[in-house]
Amino acid sequence: MAETVLIMDSDREHGEAIQTHLQRHQYDVTVADDAQETLERLEDEKWNILLGDPLIDEEAATARIADLLKEDPSVQLIVYGTSEQVDRAMDRFALDAVAYLDLPINSKALILNMARARNHFLKNRKIDRYVQRLTDLHTARNHFLQLFDSVPCFISVQDRNLRITAINKWFKQHFGNSVGGYCYQVYKHRSSPCEKCPVIQTFEDGQIHSTEEVVTALSGRQYHVLTHTAPITDEKDEITQVMEISTNITQIRQLQDHLTSLGLMLGSMSHGVKGMLTALDGGIYQLETGLQKQDEARVSRAFDQVKTMADKIRDMVLEILNYARSRQMQYAPVPVTDLVESVMKNIRPAALKSNVICEVFLPDSPGIIEIDAVWMESALVNFLENAVDACAYDHEKPVHKVSLTITVEAQERVCFRIQDNGVGMDQETREKMFTLFFTSKGSRGTGLGLFIAHRVIQQHGGTVQVTSALNQGTKLIICLPRIPPGSIGENGVNPLPS
């Protein structure tokens, strides 16, 4: 498409002669011979090159041309005129004009300067397109960054070495400014990549991959996340980076954990109920035969058996209902010494079998603590059994010990410190040890014991602190308030938050 040229010349014949000459060189040329026509042409049409005397007749035309050059830098100006006109134009436009030509015009000089103006115009238009593209790119980048930061997911971009190159605001809030770190260190505190890493899989096949993981934030809080990966390619369609998007599904998993553990409890309890029902049937049979034979002793024994079995079934059903509703506990004052003796009675046979020395350190007067004795005893036994197992699995040390030390803090809390010199745990295992179905024992473990034990401690308003290192053993400090939060007294039903 030919460049549009407006010739401004008060001598119309002269202007038309130049018009004819330029048209032969493929320019689209129009002539204006006074200020009024010049202004109208400048307002109504778009021009690539302005040629002639810009001071034509009136200042209004000159001012409009000056404004036009500022508004659209791609417009080119070539001035021609008498020496006096050219001199005034130089004062007015200076470097804003491509060239200043004296009359009479040299045709070669005109064509060369027109070509120069055309090149300047084309370059400026190209620059304008680049600027527009950069502006569009900047706008798109801002929109992308807003979306990137606003999405309520943990988003990171990783290179082939699994080093994080970019993160969103949500990720930074929970895991810190970890750009430059390795994803497996930031997410899981591992020293090596995870097995079946979805990022590695995406680098290998270019496909989207999904996985479910448990990650640990800077605060120590754990999140269940559903992770998806997607490739990022360059202009050659080669994968240079992978985006990993992790959605927090912790609340969903907590609900599922509750339902799962409830189902497991119901399943295990059903066997107990079956045995009780069998015993109840036996008691009813003895009661019927005793009545028939008028054997008062037989009737009395049968009645006691029926009553005992009915009470057990009632208690078990109430436990199931309490667990299903709000994880309610039945609290009662228990001497700490009695609790410890009952726990150790369960642990010592397993320790003796594994050749593990068990030690107990009790203060003179540990006092009384208000707990659900059945659940708490089960929880402490579980922690101690794991300590004994950790020693049994360790074949490096000649002597293995498990110690239980009870301390009293300001008469308000009782702490149980369980320490062993067994195999120990790495950081990832420590962080996941209370997750449902996580076990470091392989097929020997179910992943239920520590999960339930930890929940019991939490429901008593207590805390569990874990310190461990591989091949150096483990120390757990379990601290419980003497009176759990929400307690309403002896034998009261006390709903606690999950």
Side-chain angles (χ1 to χ4, degrees):
M1 183 177 179
E3 286 72 28
T4 57
V5 181
L6 175 63
I7 296 177
M8 303 165 290
D9 197 326
S10 56
D11 184 346
R12 191 166 190 86
E13 290 185 1
H14 183 261
E16 290 176 347
I18 295 175
Q19 177 186 29
T20 302
H21 184 61
L22 293 179
Q23 286 174 338
R24 294 172 185 167
H25 289 82
Q26 306 303 314
Y27 290 99
D28 182 4
V29 186
T30 300
V31 177
D33 58 7
D34 58 33
Q36 183 62 34
E37 186 179 2
T38 298
L39 285 170
E40 291 175 356
R41 295 285 188 181
L42 291 176
E43 292 298 329
D44 296 339
E45 302 175 56
K46 294 289 186 182
W47 304 99
N48 304 142
I49 301 173
L50 303 179
L51 175 63
D53 178 11
L55 304 174
I56 187 169
D57 296 342
E58 293 182 11
E59 175 62 24
T62 304
R64 181 68 190 102
I65 292 172
D67 290 342
L68 181 62
L69 294 177
K70 290 179 181 179
E71 293 168 6
D72 187 357
S74 66
V75 176
Q76 304 298 307
L77 172 64
I78 298 176
V79 175
Y80 68 75
T82 64
S83 296
E84 182 181 351
Q85 289 173 325
V86 169
D87 189 60
R88 284 189 298 143
M90 286 180 178
D91 292 337
R92 183 69 175 82
F93 294 101
L95 296 177
D96 289 339
V98 176
Y100 295 92
L101 304 175
D102 289 327
L103 291 174
I105 298 175
N106 182 294
S107 61
K108 289 184 179 180
L110 175 62
I111 295 304
L112 287 173
N113 282 293
M114 287 293 294
R116 181 186 300 169
R118 172 189 281 169
N119 289 336
H120 286 177
F121 165 75
L122 294 176
K123 287 180 181 178
N124 285 340
R125 279 296 167 89
K126 186 178 291 187
I127 291 172
D128 288 344
R129 288 196 296 271
Y130 288 156
V131 169
Q132 185 59 48
R133 289 177 184 174
L134 287 173
T135 300
D136 293 343
L137 182 62
H138 181 70
T139 301
R141 180 179 180 274
N142 286 339
H143 289 164
F144 169 76
L145 289 176
Q146 290 177 10
L147 178 63
F148 190 68
D149 279 337
S150 299
V151 173
C153 298
F154 308 129
I155 303 179
S156 65
V157 178
Q158 302 169 27
D159 62 17
R160 287 187 176 274
N161 296 319
L162 304 182
R163 193 180 288 273
I164 297 173
T165 61
I167 57 176
N168 71 337
K169 186 177 180 180
W170 197 263
F171 189 105
K172 186 176 181 180
Q173 287 177 350
H174 291 81
F175 298 93
N177 189 5
S178 50
V179 172
Y182 294 99
C183 68
Y184 49 85
Q185 291 177 340
V186 175
Y187 263 145
K188 297 186 178 180
H189 306 133
R190 293 173 59 96
S191 58
S192 60
C194 306
E195 295 182 10
K196 298 181 180 179
C197 172
V199 175
I200 293 176
Q201 291 176 326
T202 297
F203 269 118
E204 290 175 350
D205 60 20
Q207 302 298 312
I208 293 174
H209 290 276
S210 302
T211 184
E212 186 175 330
E213 303 287 349
V214 177
V215 297
T216 305
L218 283 176
S219 63
R221 185 175 180 182
Q222 290 184 319
Y223 299 111
H224 288 261
V225 294
L226 183 62
T227 298
H228 297 273
T229 57
I232 299 175
T233 58
D234 59 13
E235 62 277 0
K236 297 179 181 178
D237 205 29
E238 295 180 355
I239 301 174
T240 57
Q241 299 181 97
V242 169
M243 179 181 292
E244 185 177 69
I245 304 174
S246 299
T247 305
N248 185 0
I249 58 170
T250 303
Q251 290 183 330
I252 297 173
R253 286 294 172 261
Q254 286 175 344
L255 177 59
Q256 289 180 337
D257 289 350
H258 179 71
L259 295 175
T260 301
S261 57
L262 177 59
L264 291 167
M265 185 179 68
L266 289 172
S268 62
M269 286 184 171
S270 65
H271 294 286
V273 171
K274 182 179 179 181
M276 294 177 194
L277 290 175
T278 301
L280 184 61
D281 287 339
I284 293 173
Y285 173 76
Q286 291 184 23
L287 182 61
E288 289 176 343
T289 55
L291 290 172
Q292 290 173 358
K293 296 179 180 180
Q294 296 184 349
D295 185 344
E296 292 184 5
R298 186 182 184 93
V299 170
S300 179
R301 288 195 304 272
F303 179 78
D304 288 341
Q305 182 175 345
V306 170
K307 185 177 183 300
T308 299
M309 290 301 106
D311 288 342
K312 285 187 176 182
I313 293 172
R314 182 199 62 194
D315 291 342
M316 183 170 288
V317 170
L318 287 176
E319 280 189 23
I320 295 172
L321 292 175
N322 287 337
Y323 187 90
R325 280 200 296 266
S326 301
R327 294 181 180 261
Q328 295 168 336
M329 292 284 176
Q330 294 284 344
Y331 295 111
V334 176
V336 174
T337 304
D338 291 352
L339 174 64
V340 172
E341 287 180 357
S342 180
V343 168
M344 296 309 297
K345 189 182 296 183
N346 285 280
I347 287 299
R348 283 199 171 95
L352 185 63
K353 182 178 179 181
S354 299
N355 198 28
V356 177
I357 300 172
C358 280
E359 299 176 329
V360 179
F361 301 96
L362 265 167
D364 292 337
S365 300
I368 292 175
I369 187 169
E370 193 170 334
I371 56 173
D372 184 313
V374 174
W375 284 100
M376 183 55 64
E377 182 178 326
S378 175
L380 293 175
V381 167
N382 204 293
F383 286 124
L384 284 163
E385 283 180 342
N386 274 272
V388 171
D389 288 343
C391 291
Y393 298 150
D394 181 26
H395 304 291
E396 301 297 326
K397 304 177 185 70
V399 178
H400 290 98
K401 289 184 179 181
V402 172
S403 64
L404 173 61
T405 304
I406 290 82
T407 58
V408 177
E409 295 186 358
Q411 301 302 320
E412 296 178 355
R413 295 204 310 169
V414 179
C415 293
F416 302 79
R417 187 181 70 184
I418 299 171
Q419 190 162 359
D420 67 71
N421 64 340
V423 292
M425 297 177 285
D426 58 21
Q427 184 170 350
E428 183 185 11
T429 303
R430 289 198 309 272
E431 292 172 350
K432 290 185 175 181
M433 62 185 293
F434 299 131
T435 303
L436 182 64
F437 298 130
F438 175 80
T439 177
S440 59
K441 301 178 184 179
S443 59
R444 296 186 301 273
T446 64
L448 289 172
L450 288 178
F451 168 77
I452 295 174
H454 187 241
R455 288 292 178 90
V456 169
I457 300 301
Q458 287 181 323
Q459 288 180 312
H460 279 77
T463 59
V464 182
Q465 295 181 358
V466 183
T467 305
S468 185
L470 286 174
N471 302 317
Q472 295 183 21
T474 300
K475 179 171 69 175
L476 287 84
I477 300 178
I478 303 160
C479 289
L480 300 170
R482 284 195 185 273
I483 300 176
S487 174
I488 58 174
E490 185 176 351
N491 295 326
V493 177
N494 309 278
L496 290 177
S498 298

